[in-house]
Every structure is written in structure tokens, then in C-alpha cells.
Amino acid sequence: MHGRILRSQGARAEFLRSHSLTQCPPGYHVDHKIPLWAGGRDTKENMQLLTIPQHAQKTREDYVRYGSGGFSPTPIERISLTRATLTALG
């Protein structure tokens, strides 16, 4: 698993269906309200749709609120968070 937390594609699909969606809309991410690495559950009740900049901001806040929990973003996730921050700043 290489330090990554396995996510349930079924739970994600169930969340999207509950919002009459078959896929995540462009410019949005499915976020766990309480991160999995902080003990959150991989259930539709713990998921929300956030814009990419909102998701980047929430992730930064989650690190402050919950600590890293031993989780570290991959280089690709770091790039994504950085790009979203720059986009949000305009």
C-alpha cells in the first residue's frame, strides 16, 4: 500500500449517486469531512463536494486541526494543492 490509505470506490460512487451524479463534476473533488488519516470513515455521510481551491484550503486546515497522523501528501498531491492555492489567489 506504500503508506496510502485505501479508499472505497463503492462508497464514493454511492455518495455521488446520492447527489444524482455519476462522476465528480469538473473543478471539484470528493472530500472526507474528517480525513481518513485522522480516523474519519469512508462513508457517504463523511463525504462532501468541494471546489479544488476549497479542498486545498481544507486540507491545510485539516493538517493543523488533526496533525498529519503520519500521512504525508504525495508529490502529485503537493503539486495539486499548490496549483489550487495559486488559482484561488488569482
Side-chain angles (χ1 to χ4, degrees), residues 6-46:
L6 291 178
R7 291 167 173 83
S8 168
Q9 291 302 311
R12 184 179 188 276
E14 180 182 358
F15 167 77
L16 291 171
R17 279 192 307 273
S18 74
H19 293 280
S20 301
L21 299 168
T22 57
Q23 60 186 16
C24 194
Y28 284 81
H29 285 167
V30 175
D31 171 66
H32 288 86
K33 296 173 188 175
I34 300 173
L36 298 179
W37 50 263
R41 300 186 65 204
D42 199 14
T43 62
K44 72 176 185 170
E45 294 79 18
N46 189 38

